[in-house]
Structures are given as structure tokens and as C-alpha cells.
Amino acid sequence: MLGEECERALWYAFRWAAKPEVITGLKAITFETGEIEETRLLNALRMIGCEVDEVDHRGKQYRASAISGHVRGKMDGKVLGLPEAPKTWHVVECKSMGDKYFKEVVRLKSVREGYYAHWVQLNIYCHLFGFERGLYLCRNKNTGEVYSERIHTDHAEAIRLLQRAERIVKYASPPPKLHENPNSKMAFKCKTMCSKKAICHDGEFARISCRTCLHATPEMFGDAAWSCARWGRPLTLDEQKAGCPAHLFIPALVPGEMIDSSEEEEWVLYTLRDGREWRDGAKPETVPRYFHHPESGRVFIVQPGEPDPRDQGGDGALCEEISAEQFEELSNYYAGAKEEQDV
């Protein structure tokens, strides 16, 4: 994804902020077709006598990672024996695309100029795996034509892009928008092609997960490690997805203006775009509270929304809050004592 022009979109993706993509039947077929095309293109290289290596010692795709594991990818394979350079290993990246984009790459005779995101992917794999050459293979979905191109690894550009990735990973809040007005002519991609538009421009709330919480931090050690300042411990992937009751949105992800907060009570108050007030974090009590008045030997229940008896003055200050279990025990105790007196 590092070929994406908009850093804000990359940050949203990294933070799981936008709604997940819905995989329809058509999309599932499209993904499957891409896998079939990849296999077909790699087999075509074998048919001309090349050695193709597409899995590691575990029998899985070669995996690349950088920036303490926060940047990841899977390489399609590596190839040796290309007619133009038979003794040089190349990273190989296989793609399929529609007629419009295919023709642009062919016209320019350059994947870097015609489809920059694909070039970035191939170039970074070459850099991370230590290769000096890469092979780009692309098949036109409409006509079946195949375009091939060998590239020299641009290590300097790969380093720049990985530095950009590290900067995005470390951002505590989303970077600036690529376009403030999604309806302008320059913002055509924002309006029609970006899955993050709803959260970026339309005032939609972010998804709830640890990655949209102000307590969570991506760590620059280990393998894609995250930690939580609220609980003071590392977070597993499942925990990150689930979130917790102490979740507080990163303020920039709330479509409104922060007007008040309480660190002790763990809430933040916002004025939303429509003028309503909305409180993130600790909510009003939704369960009853139990109290004991030792001097009178009385236990009683205070319903949600009712005032705390200790704040009412007089002998209410002598009350003590107790648990539901203690309430039941004391109720039974006082009931038994009353029965003995009555006898």
C-alpha cells in the first residue's frame, strides 16, 4: 500500500479506523482470478526454462517485513534464467488489471510511470530481500495480453518510502488531508475511489478497536508490537481487534470538537457537528448502588440517577457503600436480629 499518495488514508488503514471492505461474491471471484493469473504467469516462466522459487523452507510465500514488523508483505517469488539476464536472480511480481490501466503501462513502457503502486511494491521487495533486479509481469484481464518489464532496484527510493511508513506508524493523530474539499476536481480519487471518504470527509465515527484508542501505541521493537498505557501491558492481535470498556477515541477521530474531559473519571466531552453534546468514555451508572447505615442498622438501595446519600448532609454522611453480596448478608443479618427481638 505504500504507493498510495494519501498519507492520511494509509494512517486510517494502519489504525483500522474505516469500516472493513465488504467482500462480495464478485470481489471474491476477482481475488481468486488474481491468484489464478499469478500461478499462470509463474508457470509460463517455467515453460521457457526459468527456475522459479515461490515458497520458503516452510512451504509458504516469502514474507517481507520492516519498521519493527508494522510494514509487511508477501513476495510472489523469485526467478533465475531470464533470457535477458540468465545468471541474475530477480524478484518477480505478477499482476492482472483492466484494459485502461494496462494500456497506460504499455504506452509509457514503464510500470513506475504507469502504475506507481505496483512499482513501489516490487521495488521494496527487491530492497528488503537484497535483490538488484525485479521482474514485473502483468496480464490484461480484457484481452489476455501480457506485459513484462525488468527493473533496477532503486534502493534510495525504497528507503525514502520506508521512512515515510515509519513516520505514518508513529503519528498519534491522522496526518493532513490530501484535499480539504472532496468535491473539487483535484480530489477525484477522494470522491470516487477512496474507501476512507466517509470517516475523512463525511463525519462518520471510526471503528472501535485498540488502534483507534488514545491509550494504544505501536512500539518500535519486537514484531508489530502494540502496548496499552491504560492497562500498562502489551496487546495481542485479538485484544487489539476487540478493544475494551476503557476505550477512548483518539480525539481527531471524533467528528466534533472536544470541550471538556476528566482524566480521573476517564471521559471526554465533545460537541458534534450537529450541535449535540456527546461523551466518550465513562458513562452514567446503569446499575443500582448499595448502602449501609451502621448506626441505625439499615441497608438500602439507590437507583441509577438518584443522589448519593453521603452528599445530602446530616447523618447521611455516616453511610458506607457496600457490594451486592454485602447487602444481601447484612439484610439477612438484620432480618434475623429483628426476628429474635420480636420473639
Side-chain angles (χ1 to χ4, degrees):
M1 297 176 65
L2 279 179
E4 166 60 53
E5 180 183 8
C6 180
E7 292 193 357
R8 193 181 183 95
L10 289 172
W11 189 89
Y12 282 145
F14 178 63
R15 290 280 180 161
W16 302 342
K19 289 182 179 179
E21 181 181 8
V22 176
I23 306 301
T24 62
L26 178 59
K27 286 183 179 179
I29 292 172
T30 301
F31 294 152
E32 184 181 35
T33 300
E35 294 174 359
I36 293 170
E37 294 292 359
E38 177 186 321
T39 301
R40 179 182 287 142
L41 291 170
L42 292 177
N43 285 337
L45 291 174
R46 294 186 175 99
M47 289 169 66
I48 64 170
C50 294
E51 178 183 346
V52 179
D53 182 6
E54 54 188 307
V55 294
D56 60 18
H57 64 282
R58 303 168 301 166
K60 297 182 178 181
Q61 273 188 292
Y62 286 99
R63 294 171 178 263
S65 68
I67 320 302
S68 300
H70 293 295
V71 174
R72 298 169 180 260
K74 295 179 181 179
M75 180 175 71
D76 288 345
K78 50 186 180 180
V79 59
L80 179 68
L82 293 175
E84 299 88 346
K87 296 183 180 181
T88 302
W89 278 100
H90 292 60
V91 171
V92 60
E93 191 65 29
C94 302
K95 300 292 184 184
S96 60
M97 64 174 69
D99 193 57
K100 175 184 175 182
Y101 298 104
F102 182 87
K103 286 182 176 179
E104 186 67 8
V105 173
V106 172
R107 182 182 71 83
L108 296 170
K109 296 182 180 179
S110 168
V111 61
R112 184 170 188 171
E113 299 297 326
Y115 208 119
Y116 181 69
H118 284 179
W119 177 85
V120 167
Q121 189 176 359
L122 176 57
N123 188 63
I124 288 183
Y125 286 152
C126 288
H127 172 75
L128 292 177
F129 284 104
F131 284 65
E132 295 301 322
R133 299 302 299 262
L135 174 68
Y136 178 72
L137 292 176
C138 181
R139 189 169 187 270
N140 188 322
K141 292 179 182 179
N142 299 74
T143 65
E145 296 173 87
V146 175
Y147 172 82
S148 65
E149 180 184 342
R150 294 167 61 233
I151 71 164
H152 287 278
T153 305
D154 187 336
H155 293 285
E157 182 67 4
I159 291 170
R160 186 191 71 80
L161 286 163
L162 291 173
Q163 288 175 335
R164 177 189 190 224
E166 182 174 2
R167 184 173 67 248
I168 293 169
V169 167
K170 290 181 176 179
Y171 279 139
S173 294
K177 297 178 182 180
L178 192 62
H179 300 285
E180 287 297 328
N181 181 6
N183 296 315
S184 67
K185 290 184 178 179
M186 294 290 292
F188 175 77
K189 286 181 65 177
C190 291
K191 183 177 181 179
T192 63
M193 302 174 67
C194 183
S195 61
K196 318 298 188 300
K197 177 179 177 290
I199 185 174
C200 187
H201 292 286
D202 299 340
E204 184 176 277
F205 271 84
R207 294 162 60 195
I208 293 179
S209 74
C210 286
R211 295 197 181 190
T212 57
C213 177
L214 56 79
H215 296 305
T217 302
E219 301 292 353
M220 292 295 106
F221 60 81
D223 185 19
W226 284 73
S227 67
C228 176
R230 171 63 175 76
W231 301 109
R233 63 182 181 81
L235 295 165
T236 67
L237 190 62
D238 287 340
E239 287 172 334
Q240 292 173 45
K241 292 177 180 178
C244 82
H247 180 280
L248 283 174
F249 276 115
I250 295 168
L253 291 177
V254 176
E257 180 183 353
M258 184 172 69
I259 56 175
D260 197 6
S261 65
S262 171
E263 184 175 350
E264 180 181 340
E265 297 179 5
E266 298 185 287
W267 55 261
V268 183
L269 186 65
Y270 295 89
T271 299
L272 301 181
R273 291 183 177 184
D274 60 7
R276 290 181 297 119
E277 286 192 354
W278 177 76
R279 188 166 75 164
D280 185 21
K283 302 298 187 293
E285 293 291 337
T286 58
V287 296
R289 301 166 69 189
Y290 304 92
F291 288 90
H292 176 218
H293 192 277
E295 284 200 0
S296 64
R298 186 167 65 96
V299 289
F300 57 96
I301 299 174
V302 173
Q303 297 296 334
E306 294 181 347
D308 190 317
R310 295 169 296 186
D311 297 334
Q312 304 305 304
D315 65 351
L318 300 175
C319 292
E320 59 184 14
E321 188 168 3
I322 59 176
S323 67
E325 292 78 10
Q326 291 172 318
F327 175 83
E328 184 176 359
E329 290 175 3
L330 287 169
S331 295
N332 293 333
Y333 171 78
Y334 288 131
K338 186 176 185 302
E339 287 179 3
E340 288 183 7
Q341 286 180 345
D342 291 343
V343 171

